[in-house]
Amino acid sequence: MTETVLAYIEKDESYLLLYRNKKKVDINKNKWVGVGGHLEKRETPIDALYREIKEETNLDVKDYQYRGIVYFINEDFEEVMHLFTVSKFKGDIKECDEGMLQFVPKNEIFNLPIWEGDKIFLKYLLTNEPYFELKLIYKGDELLSYERIK
């Protein structure tokens, strides 16, 4: 099972999103997502959070909240994603080799091309739900069902 982190960096009622449009082969191609990626060997989710944000944005995390876990189940793979929001950071954003980074007002996110499952956990983030665990079942790109576990 793959283990990943995903972070939504907050500033002025916006989240920093990544429009994934630069890689030829990318499961997230042409979608807007948070910042994150896979855990490396012997890395904790917190280690990965700091590393991935630095690599993709050049920002240094100063304060974060661990918001929950999202389990993705698909016919081809299973993933455990640790979900964070970052409220304080330092540095200047650099160009990302995976796509375009942009702060998007929170009330405009649902107008963008995002995964159906992301809409579910983004609602939890935007309504300040406490820690949650969510299972999303996909077939290809189609969300078949979801369940809030906790």
Side-chain angles (χ1 to χ4, degrees):
M1 188 175 295
T2 301
E3 195 170 6
T4 63
V5 295
L6 186 69
Y8 288 89
I9 300 169
E10 299 178 272
K11 178 183 167 187
D12 301 327
E13 289 302 308
S14 297
Y15 281 140
L16 182 62
L17 299 181
L18 175 59
Y19 180 59
R20 301 285 296 252
N21 63 348
K22 290 187 179 177
K23 289 183 172 180
K24 287 190 188 242
V25 178
D26 186 348
I27 192 169
N28 294 306
K29 186 138 181 100
N30 297 323
K31 297 235 191 294
W32 291 84
V33 296
V35 177
H38 295 84
L39 272 70
E40 294 181 352
K41 191 173 183 177
R42 297 190 177 115
E43 195 173 43
T44 68
I46 305 304
D47 294 335
L49 171 74
Y50 280 81
R51 178 185 53 76
E52 286 286 348
I53 289 176
K54 185 66 174 179
E55 287 177 2
E56 293 184 1
T57 69
N58 193 46
L59 298 175
D60 295 306
V61 174
K62 297 298 176 190
D63 192 28
Y64 67 87
Q65 277 191 294
Y66 187 23
R67 302 297 299 273
I69 296 176
V70 180
Y71 301 94
F72 291 95
I73 312 293
N74 201 325
E75 66 260 324
D76 297 332
F77 71 94
E78 294 180 5
E79 176 183 337
V80 176
M81 183 180 75
H82 303 272
L83 187 60
F84 298 87
T85 49
V86 174
S87 55
K88 293 182 185 168
F89 56 89
K90 188 175 180 183
D92 295 317
I93 295 174
K94 66 166 184 152
E95 186 174 329
C96 180
D97 62 3
E98 296 181 13
M100 179 183 69
L101 290 164
Q102 182 177 322
F103 278 100
V104 176
K106 292 177 182 179
N107 63 358
E108 294 178 17
I109 292 172
F110 294 95
N111 298 328
L112 300 173
I114 62 176
W115 290 99
E116 287 302 309
D118 290 15
K119 292 177 183 179
I120 296 164
F121 64 73
L122 276 164
K123 286 178 187 171
Y124 295 159
L125 296 182
L126 293 170
T127 57
N128 291 316
E129 289 282 325
Y131 177 89
F132 60 88
E133 293 185 15
L134 182 66
K135 180 167 67 171
L136 303 174
I137 299 176
Y138 277 90
K139 183 173 184 181
D141 291 349
E142 181 185 358
L143 180 65
L144 297 179
S145 66
Y146 70 93
E147 175 186 1
R148 184 164 179 176
I149 301 167
K150 183 173 183 174

